[in-house]
Amino acid sequence: MSIQYCSKCVYPGVSATPLTFDDSGVCSGCRVNEMKSSIDWDRRWKMLQKITDEYRSDTNYDIVIPVSGGKDSYYQTHVAIHELGLKPLLVTYHGNNYLPEGEYNLFRMREVFDCDHIIVRPGVDTLIKMNRLGFKLQGDMNWHAHCGIFTVPIQVAVRYKVPLMMWGEHGFLDLGGMYSLNDFVEFTAKFRLEHALRGYDWHDFTDEGLEKLGRPELKEGLSAKDLMWGQYPTDDEIDAVGVRGIYLGNFVNWDANQHSRLVVEKYGWRPAAQPFERTYRMFSNLDDMHENGIHDYLKFIKFGYGRGTDHSCKDIRSGKMTRAEGIEMVRKYDHVKPRRDLERWLKYVGIPEDEFDAVCDTFRDPRVWRMENGKWVKDNIWGEASEYGNVHKDACGPGCRK
Amino acid sequence: MLKKRLIPVLLLQNGLLVRSELFKIHQIIGNPVHEVERFNQWNVDELVYLDITRGDKYDLRREDHKIKGLATPEAILDAVSRNCFMPLTWGGRIRSVEDMRRCINHGADKISINTSAVRTPELITAGAKAFGSQAIVVSIDVRAEGGSAREVFIDGGRESTGLDPVEWAIEAEKRGAGEILLQVIGRDGTGSGYDTGLIRDMSSAVRIPLVACSGVAMFEDYADGIKAGASAVAAANIWHFKELTDRAGKRAMARAGIDVRL
């Protein structure tokens, strides 16, 4: 079966983000993006003002803003304070692997915005265990980060009784066009569990949970008390405070390139100092040094594409790049096995590279990958098949997924 | 008097749930099993699953997802019904009493038929005889241009029938249907509110319950459907967009003076 690619951008049909194609072969991500030009953004802004006005408090924070310290975080906080006049409480899940530039940006938020900021930092041993478990169980060492990012802010909102959260852009809406901008989609527990966490929850990572999953060989000795930061509040707790999470992307015409310029000029926000191995962009995912490299490489393993595709899709849609230029970025970056990142991460978690490769192979999507003469082969967007290294599946050692 | 029901309609396409607009645009929303698990937590009154798959490919997409390997409609229905502790209506691709029996054996409580009800109206009677009227829902998709010319469409809104929706509802009732599910193609996924005129006309023409669907943008819209004569109000997309949508929807209905199970 050959993979369908969007005829406008470079997105593949087998992807991490749910994506569909219309009769002209254009993906839902492009279609939703096209809608932006026909939206009355002034009216949307007034809708946002109305919503936030309803939640203004005399005695408490007006809003919780989940932030990583990235360009979007700065933009959200800028809008909340300087354009909406709100008193926010910033909340961060810190997964222990910030780039120095990312951490600089994060810690400076309370200085440049004069904001209260809660940063939750899980124990480092626990995080290392969660890296290993996420990788082996789910093919994603950063599962813990998705869990923390989508859990800690609502825990804080419930605990501090702040009913409104304001997220930035809805990633799945933006990249894949999962929802329409007319849906005014809000944050939900189901989205967190099913899409951000792919059906797994914190309890699957405890010894008891792994036993239930039939994967006792992966046990790391984690218990519920190690994973407090991943435990989502109950419906009744959320309902008692009335917490809802809106997305700023539904109310302002979101353009990441423009926001980056704004936050660099206004607040001295810093992009990455060193280029990444798997993308040309310098201003995304600075909150985890493994995100643009090794974590994204796993996406290539699974689905056959990576940040070269993600970032060029965004730039094609915003008119910064042609589709042909995008394909060149895909050719250049999507397949790269990141040495710097890989070596750093393997050392961090204590896994040898051959075991890493063997576990990787258990996650290859059969719709994308085939084995030919001991090599992994896939068809590419430029119409040719290419080889991408040796098959390691059979070298799969004890404890890894068969 | 019976309480008014609030019902989520889930649209299944090639194994995944989709958001729908005008019966034409479909975006993937997620996994059919997760959704039903969530609705159990919410204590939802009742659930309608409509399989709108074209072709025969059922694929849950992700190799790294906890739920995988459901590759047929029966496997999906099994997984859904195992997790579903509320009355479950299953529709789509049902052409015979045998198809109905298979769905009921796999856990459905009611069967919804649309295209096949128009093409072979005897199926309504045969189904009602085999499983009881209460198990047979006739789903009616209406194209209503400018509010005047109304026509029943079948095959996912692609084929016109020349049937008048109200007359067709009356005939479906005569043939043994236990319930009507009304959808309006031009309102699907647009958030323009229910077609209250059509609900009024249809509900006053039949004695069986009418479930109104299509057009909900806000929880406040539900009350309009009930006030126009529907016994139950349904919606699809809004259930995916916001949190705690069951209790929020019921509260909005209660605020409008409607008797609901809170």
Side-chain angles (χ1 to χ4, degrees), chain B residues 165-183:
Chain B
V166 175
E167 281 166 22
W168 171 232
I170 294 169
E171 192 187 338
E173 179 180 33
K174 267 191 210 143
R175 286 179 180 270
E179 196 164 75
I180 303 284
L181 171 63
L182 170 65
Q183 300 201 66

Side-chain angles (χ1 to χ4, degrees), chain A residues 1 13-20 28 32 138-139 177-180 183-190 193-195 198-201 203-204 213 232 235-236 238-239 243 302-303 363-367 401, chain B residues 13 16-19 21 24-39 41-42 57 59-68 189-190 217 237 239-245 247-248 251:
Chain A
M1 186 180 93
V14 177
S15 62
T17 8
L19 194 75
T20 49
S28 38
V32 168
Q138 215 272 313
M178 183 173 175
Y179 305 95
S180 158
D183 294 340
F184 295 97
V185 63
E186 296 188 2
F187 180 76
T188 64
K190 187 190 159 256
L193 179 65
E194 179 176 353
H195 296 289
R198 287 141 221 166
Y200 293 90
D201 213 336
H203 45 75
D204 290 313
L213 284 178
Y232 202 78
D235 283 345
D236 287 340
I238 291 166
D239 197 31
V243 180
K302 287 179 188 173
F303 304 105
F363 288 104
R364 294 198 188 244
D365 193 312
R367 292 165 299 180
R401 194 181 117 125
Chain B
Q13 191 182 54
L16 288 165
L17 299 180
V18 291
R19 167 194 183 279
E21 199 169 319
K24 246 194 252 162
I25 304 164
H26 296 110
Q27 285 135 295
I28 296 168
I29 290 291
N31 180 291
V33 182
H34 274 298
E35 193 68 71
V36 72
E37 284 170 351
R38 190 71 184 127
F39 288 162
Q41 292 163 355
W42 287 353
K57 212 179 72 185
D59 185 350
L60 290 189
R61 292 274 180 128
R62 291 196 65 148
E63 292 289 302
D64 60 350
H65 200 283
K66 192 170 174 184
I67 295 167
K68 41 188 161 255
T190 61
N237 293 349
W239 291 87
H240 304 292
F241 302 155
K242 293 190 194 325
E243 190 56 284
L244 305 179
T245 42
R247 55 180 100 179
R251 279 178 194 153

Side-chain angles (χ1 to χ4, degrees), chain B residues 24-154:
Chain B
K24 246 194 252 162
I25 304 164
H26 296 110
Q27 285 135 295
I28 296 168
I29 290 291
N31 180 291
V33 182
H34 274 298
E35 193 68 71
V36 72
E37 284 170 351
R38 190 71 184 127
F39 288 162
N40 273 335
Q41 292 163 355
W42 287 353
N43 209 8
V44 163
D45 291 332
E46 192 174 328
L47 192 56
V48 176
Y49 262 88
L50 300 178
D51 186 355
I52 59 167
T53 304
R54 304 188 66 79
D56 288 310
K57 212 179 72 185
Y58 287 79
D59 185 350
L60 290 189
R61 292 274 180 128
R62 291 196 65 148
E63 292 289 302
D64 60 350
H65 200 283
K66 192 170 174 184
I67 295 167
K68 41 188 161 255
L70 303 174
T72 64
E74 286 79 18
I76 293 169
L77 175 54
D78 276 342
V80 165
S81 62
R82 256 201 315 277
N83 288 289
C84 179
F85 303 111
M86 62 202 103
L88 172 65
T89 301
W90 193 270
R93 307 161 72 90
I94 289 164
R95 304 279 175 265
S96 64
V97 172
E98 268 325 293
D99 288 344
M100 294 179 179
R101 192 181 311 282
R102 203 181 58 244
C103 291
I104 284 172
N105 287 343
H106 281 275
D109 300 293
K110 300 192 222 177
I111 301 300
S112 163
I113 48 175
N114 179 331
T115 305
S116 57
V118 171
R119 287 192 183 145
T120 46
E122 314 77 70
L123 187 59
I124 305 173
T125 318
K129 266 194 189 144
F131 311 107
S133 270
Q134 85 295 331
I136 305 301
V137 180
V138 169
S139 171
I140 303 180
D141 297 340
V142 179
R143 208 174 273 281
E145 305 298 347
S148 51
R150 297 160 170 173
E151 189 183 347
V152 174
F153 273 70
I154 54 173

